[in-house]
Amino acid sequence: MTVKFLPSGDSAIVVEFGSQIDRGVSERVLRLSMRIRTSGLTGVIETVPTFRSLMVHYDPLQTSSATLVDAIGTLLDAAGRLEQRQRLWRVPVCYEGDYAPDLATVAERTNLTTAEVVELHSRTQYHVYMIGFLPGFPYMGDLPERLALPRQVDPRLRVPAGSVAIAMAMTAIYPIESPGGWHLIGTTPIVMFDLASTRPALFAPGDAVKFDPIGEDDYAAIRAAVADGRYEVPHERMVA
Amino acid sequence: MNASLSVVAPGLYTTIQDLGRFGYQDVGVPVSGALDALSLRAANRLAGNPENTAALEILYQSPVLEVRADSVRVGLAGGDAELELVGERPRQLGGWRSLSLRQGEVFRATQLGDSACCYLAVEGGFAVEPCLGSASSYVRGGFGGFNGRPLRQGDLLALHRERVEDRGEIRIPHPPPHERDRPVRIVLGPQEDHFTDEAIECLVGAEYRVSKNADRMGMRLDGPLLQHRDGYNIVSDGIATGAIQVPGSGQPILLLADHQTTGGYPKIATVVSADLAAVGRRRTGDTMRFSIVDVATAERLRRDQEAEFQALMSTVAPAAAATGLDLDVLYRTNLISGAVSGHE
């Protein structure tokens, strides 16, 4: 697979590994991102991993596109594995009542029962491909094919924070209230984006996520614990 | 008493901005920061601050502010805006300059002229908590700057200093040109191959106009529609400031400081970094033409611009009147005698 270097003006380069959403491609994107971060290349401001490419933002007064393309090419060829600090998160989700406004519609459109939708969604382990759209908004996949639906034709003007949503091959959690066109099948009481933290987004690209169904009582209890700062989202280290 | 500026009237859309919030785009946090970074840097130099100090970004219409400190020195830069003392006998005191104001004085910037934005810096800076390493307001996310939102009437903007540093006022005698008639330079890509040849000819041949759908996230451009080669959805990838993305309608959107970090529409071209400030100054209804350069040229343009900016800063001079009389001093004499202002 050839790697393409695409200019995005004189302050960013897109390193493109493919044109489709693919786990193998995502691993390469994340690996390059980590290599660039640890190599301390002059003039690199930050890297943004996405599904199939890495955007490298740079300061054109400190380096140049030509210099960076050469340096990144060398990093691509470098041998050896990097230690990757990835985590598996277990996210509590209430798939009931008002917490799941689109669950019945999703069940209808996929010819499943609501219980089957919940079962399919919560038994899958997802990969965090990227974070974008909103601060802390994780694009996670791949959704079981039976649940794949296009985005809603009329997006909602207000999707509540914590909404667990699906569209196409992805699932996501809305970290803050926002307009949105995905199907809302549950709600999590956890905080996805915390400005007080130096790592404000709970998930990082490359992390893994599983959803644990909880009832409305559990939702309220966890919500209260989160508000008191007494709740830590269950997670474990993974060896990548 | 805590030194502050009190917001008598908020202006149209006044936010606190610095040069941007870097390092969090991988978790979806936009860079934000000044639309016209050159004018922000100039305002800070005039106020005696480091260039990245957070200042007020004024869009279209200035706030009216009252000094609630012993004294405060401000620096104003951008467009044709001048500092104006508000009162029974309004006085315009020029733009691209510093000025010391006293307790109780009320002031604003005048009409911005050809520019959409200007910047008001205060000596010592506004006392706002940095958020993720920057004081820039990101209004959609509700954080940064003053409570993560534009100013409202009655806000008190806390200042770091109680009174001005004892030194003379300075100005930039020949402000830089607006450059609204010069074509905006672009580098094609990253997805120019998603467009027809006609679309690219159109982008550089036609005139585009900033529509009324323009804000700090981006400006929709009115003009000929740009045809995609096959489909308008791509797998979401990163977005650089200045990217021109084209959704299904074919109407280009030029993305500015608060743009999303990633997106799923093809980007036909990206404005060179040296022209971002000139684009940020464009007002609704302004026209623009585009011309293509390669990346190496774009990088050279940026270095040239930086050299020009430093040259401009080296022209900073005392803000005395050409006649040799310091009008400010005369004006202060009036103030103290109570002829103009009843504050003292």
Side-chain angles (χ1 to χ4, degrees):
Chain A
M1 186 162 39
T2 52
V3 177
K4 286 193 225 168
F5 292 90
L6 310 175
S8 193
D10 59 332
S11 300
I13 297 170
V14 181
V15 188
E16 192 175 278
F17 291 88
S19 56
Q20 300 301 323
I21 296 175
D22 177 273
R23 278 295 293 274
V25 167
S26 175
E27 302 294 348
R28 294 186 71 189
V29 169
L30 294 168
R31 213 153 44 228
L32 179 65
S33 182
M34 184 154 299
R35 277 191 204 284
I36 292 175
R37 281 163 189 235
T38 51
S39 66
L41 292 180
T42 302
V44 170
I45 297 169
E46 55 189 312
T47 58
V48 181
T50 60
F51 290 111
R52 42 82 184 230
S53 64
L54 183 72
M55 178 163 264
V56 181
H57 293 274
Y58 67 95
D59 178 354
L61 296 176
Q62 288 188 47
T63 186
S64 68
S65 173
T67 305
L68 278 182
V69 167
D70 282 350
I72 293 168
T74 307
L75 291 176
L76 280 171
D77 297 337
R81 291 190 71 81
L82 287 164
E83 187 204 345
Q84 301 199 44
R85 285 158 293 172
Q86 290 159 337
R87 279 168 287 194
L88 167 61
W89 298 92
R90 296 188 182 279
V91 174
V93 177
C94 180
Y95 294 93
E96 298 172 11
D98 291 347
Y99 294 111
D102 296 334
L103 182 59
T105 320
V106 167
E108 198 176 306
R109 291 182 59 182
T110 54
N111 291 315
L112 295 164
T113 65
T114 55
E116 286 168 336
V117 172
V118 172
E119 155 70 14
L120 275 171
H121 187 256
S122 61
R123 78 164 183 223
T124 307
Q125 179 170 312
Y126 300 97
H127 167 71
V128 179
Y129 281 95
M130 58 180 272
I131 296 174
F133 172 56
L134 287 173
F137 184 97
Y139 289 84
M140 300 175 280
D142 294 356
L143 199 64
E145 277 179 29
R146 299 247 359 225
L147 295 180
L149 288 172
R151 286 188 194 86
Q152 295 187 341
V153 178
D154 290 315
R156 279 186 176 81
L157 290 177
R158 304 177 79 153
V159 174
S163 295
V164 176
I166 60 171
M168 299 154 296
M170 294 291 136
T171 184
I173 304 170
Y174 284 82
I176 54 177
E177 185 184 281
S178 138
W182 292 29
H183 307 271
L184 313 182
I185 61 166
T187 306
T188 176
I190 68 171
V191 172
M192 294 294 297
F193 190 79
D194 178 10
L195 280 170
S197 169
T198 51
R199 278 187 67 255
L202 187 64
F203 303 160
D207 282 355
V209 176
K210 280 204 76 173
F211 297 106
D212 286 337
I214 56 168
E216 297 190 40
D217 291 348
D218 288 335
Y219 179 95
I222 294 173
R223 187 86 199 138
V226 168
D228 292 349
R230 288 184 289 107
Y231 184 82
E232 192 183 356
V233 183
H235 63 276
E236 57 204 70
R237 299 263 171 212
M238 293 191 307
V239 180
Chain B
M1 181 199 121
N2 294 322
S4 68
L5 293 181
S6 165
V7 179
V8 177
L12 193 65
Y13 194 91
T14 309
T15 55
I16 287 184
Q17 301 292 343
D18 57 21
L19 292 175
R21 179 175 286 111
F22 296 96
Y24 297 94
Q25 290 193 75
D26 64 329
V27 291
V29 179
V31 174
S32 301
L35 291 173
D36 174 0
L38 294 175
S39 295
L40 169 68
R41 292 167 67 192
N44 272 321
R45 291 281 279 264
L46 291 164
N49 295 333
E51 289 182 352
N52 190 27
T53 308
L56 292 182
E57 177 175 273
I58 295 169
L59 288 182
Y60 290 91
Q61 186 196 348
S62 172
V64 178
L65 303 164
E66 180 183 333
V67 179
R68 297 208 182 162
D70 243 27
S71 57
V72 62
R73 176 172 283 117
V74 301
L76 181 78
D80 303 326
E82 295 189 30
L83 285 161
E84 181 181 80
L85 282 162
V86 177
E88 284 176 30
R89 292 176 53 190
R91 256 195 86 105
Q92 293 188 3
L93 294 164
W96 295 84
R97 63 162 299 172
S98 70
L99 182 69
S100 293
L101 297 149
R102 297 172 185 221
Q103 177 86 253
E105 286 189 312
V106 179
F107 70 102
R108 66 175 177 184
T110 58
Q111 296 292 326
L112 276 59
D114 287 343
S115 181
C117 51
C118 70
Y119 295 84
L120 184 92
V122 295
E123 186 178 56
F126 292 99
V128 289
E129 279 297 314
C131 199
L132 304 178
S134 163
S136 283
S137 309
Y138 170 46
V139 173
R140 191 166 181 227
F143 61 83
F146 189 86
N147 296 341
R149 60 164 172 79
L151 300 190
R152 291 180 194 151
Q153 186 176 349
D155 287 343
L156 289 177
L157 309 176
L159 306 173
H160 279 302
R161 297 185 64 101
E162 284 277 349
R163 60 188 60 81
V164 300
E165 183 95 356
D166 186 17
R167 62 178 174 86
E169 305 304 337
I170 52 175
R171 67 185 179 119
I172 294 168
H174 304 290
H178 177 20
E179 299 181 317
R180 66 193 309 191
D181 298 325
R182 188 172 48 63
V184 171
R185 277 80 53 104
I186 54 175
V187 174
L188 285 180
Q191 282 99 27
E192 80 273 26
D193 56 350
H194 283 59
F195 294 87
T196 60
D197 294 343
E198 293 75 26
I200 289 167
E201 282 167 26
C202 196
L203 183 66
V204 293
E207 187 173 78
Y208 284 88
R209 191 176 292 273
V210 180
S211 76
K212 64 181 189 316
N213 289 317
D215 60 18
R216 283 183 43 84
M217 279 181 75
M219 37 178 67
R220 283 177 195 269
L221 303 179
D222 286 334
L225 301 181
L226 302 175
Q227 292 297 324
H228 301 85
R229 201 181 280 278
D230 24 43
Y232 54 85
N233 281 308
I234 59 168
V235 174
S236 280
D237 71 348
I239 297 178
T241 303
I244 301 172
Q245 75 171 19
V246 185
S249 67
Q251 183 182 28
I253 304 172
L254 206 171
L255 294 164
L256 302 176
D258 283 353
H259 69 82
Q260 293 173 19
T261 54
T262 61
Y265 295 120
K267 295 157 287 283
I268 190 170
T270 310
V271 173
V272 305
S273 62
D275 284 351
L276 287 177
V279 166
R281 290 192 283 263
R282 290 289 208 288
R283 299 169 70 99
T284 289
D286 281 355
T287 57
M288 62 177 99
R289 288 180 172 278
F290 296 103
S291 70
I292 297 172
V293 297
D294 61 21
V295 177
T297 306
E299 289 168 344
R300 181 179 54 72
L301 289 169
R302 177 64 185 281
R303 289 192 296 273
D304 293 350
Q305 181 189 56
E306 191 58 25
E308 281 167 28
F309 179 79
Q310 295 305 339
L312 181 73
M313 289 304 109
S314 71
T315 66
V316 166
T323 57
L325 288 172
D326 188 331
L327 290 178
D328 284 349
V329 171
L330 284 179
Y331 172 66
R332 295 294 167 208
T333 312
N334 266 347
L335 257 188
I336 290 160
S337 74
V340 174
S341 160
H343 295 307
E344 309 199 14

